[in-house]
Amino acid sequence: MTILVENRAGYRVITLNRPERLNALTAKMASALTEALGAAEADPECRALLLTGAGRGFCAGQDLTAIADARPAEIAALLEQYNPLIRRLRALSIPIVCAVNGVAAGAGANLALACDIVLAARSASFVQAFTRIGLVPDCGGTWFLPRLVGAARARALAILAEPLPAETAAEWGLIWQAVADEELMPNAETLAGRLATQATAAVALTKRALDASESNTLDAQLDLERDLQAKAAQSLDFAEGLRAFLDKRPPVFGKTRS
Ligand code: T3D
């Protein structure tokens, strides 16, 4: 099994599972992952996802042994498998936490950056390894990097392809947090569990608003926020959130996504 899927209370853990190759990606693995995302989203019991890697690495990017004899056209065609995965991840209505347990290289780094909240073990690192082997950053790398860390750092990371330690990645805003290695999974599980009890519809609408802001003007974004707020205001979660506040008790949100 190239990925493992485990049900937890309110969320699922997806583990990349080719530890002997630092969870390097194959086309088969990418489509299994895309399928697992769809299945999780379709399950009303699943209100958050946690993505991590088995063994000492998170993901070493494309499995280079699998493309050793590929022709140039076949190399580019592989992105027909990876691009749908990145699009699926970004469009997912439930939040996804990524626990980067070790090195995240090439497409593996950008897979992590496509997630909503990225935690990394202090011993982990992020490498835009592409130019080292004569390729360009893909899987959204050239889109995520400048937006997360600014143009100067994005250029150096993409062109020099040097590893960025997890703590610097957090300082630069590439990820949410770097934590002690032994605290990574407990923290990531706590976070996914917490997301599973939040107002799921409001979280989905918030993700939509943030994604749209990447290309919207302020005017368009204000209009969008008004429209999304109108939807959120109609939700049972808002009724519950407001009532709980007035009653001075913690809210109990349901599983509805709209
Ligand atoms: O079709 C397309 O469009 C192509 C898409 C491309 C997207 C990409 O992701 S391109 C970038 C591909 N990834 C890389 O170039 C990274 C290659 N790996 C490395 O540079 C290093 O392995 C790491 C920096 C990630 C980790 O180094 P280290 O020293 O911790 O581990 P290691 O000893 O190099 O690797 C451990 C094993 O995993 C080793 O196997 P062995 O010798 O024990 O049998 C190594 O060969 C294997 N491995 C690591 N990365 C890959 C891999 N095997 C296949 N593909 C890999 N990407």
Side-chain angles (χ1 to χ4, degrees):
M1 304 270 266
T2 57
I3 62 165
L4 304 173
V5 181
E6 197 187 330
N7 279 321
R8 300 281 177 87
Y11 69 96
R12 286 184 189 184
V13 181
I14 301 180
T15 306
L16 306 175
N17 189 38
R18 301 184 69 225
E20 69 291 352
R21 296 241 160 260
L22 302 180
N23 303 314
L25 292 168
T26 60
K28 190 175 155 203
M29 196 170 165
S31 54
L33 199 44
T34 309
E35 214 171 285
L37 297 177
E41 195 176 39
D43 176 3
E45 299 294 326
C46 179
R47 296 164 69 188
L49 278 173
L50 169 51
L51 176 67
T52 192
R56 74 175 176 89
F58 171 69
C59 176
Q62 166 64 39
D63 186 322
L64 298 176
T65 63
I67 57 168
D69 301 319
R71 290 193 301 270
E74 291 170 325
I75 302 283
L78 255 179
L79 293 180
E80 300 305 331
Q81 306 293 323
Y82 295 149
N83 288 350
L85 168 60
I86 301 297
R87 289 191 176 106
R88 195 80 187 78
L89 259 179
R90 292 299 286 186
L92 210 62
S93 59
I94 51 176
I96 177 158
V97 174
C98 186
V100 179
N101 52 301
V103 66
N110 297 332
L111 179 65
L113 299 184
C115 296
D116 292 306
I117 301 179
V118 185
L119 299 179
R122 278 207 188 103
S123 63
S125 58
F126 295 81
V127 200
Q128 294 291 326
F130 306 88
T131 59
R132 282 192 196 177
I133 56 163
L135 290 178
V136 295
D138 60 20
C139 291
T142 56
W143 193 88
F144 295 123
L145 285 174
R147 283 169 170 78
L148 291 168
V149 297
R153 285 169 170 165
R155 279 179 188 254
L157 288 173
I159 292 169
L160 299 176
E162 285 176 4
L164 188 72
E167 277 187 304
T168 315
E171 276 164 32
W172 287 9
L174 188 72
I175 63 168
W176 170 237
Q177 268 176 359
V179 299
D181 287 20
E182 64 280 10
E183 285 170 14
L184 178 70
M185 286 315 288
N187 283 12
E189 285 160 3
T190 302
L191 193 52
R194 176 177 147 193
L195 289 166
T197 61
Q198 277 190 222
T200 307
V203 170
L205 296 174
T206 301
K207 286 179 52 155
R208 258 174 68 187
L210 289 169
D211 284 342
S213 78
E214 303 291 353
S215 56
N216 268 350
T217 59
L218 174 60
D219 253 3
Q221 193 67 13
L222 288 170
D223 286 348
L224 178 68
E225 287 176 356
R226 177 203 57 212
D227 295 346
L228 296 180
Q229 200 67 291
K231 276 192 175 199
Q234 289 169 31
S235 69
L236 293 175
D237 283 346
F238 174 58
E240 165 61 8
L242 192 57
R243 177 53 48 206
F245 176 80
L246 297 173
D247 292 350
K248 299 188 186 303
R249 61 170 173 81
V252 181
F253 294 118
K255 295 171 191 163
T256 49
R257 301 228 179 117
S258 58

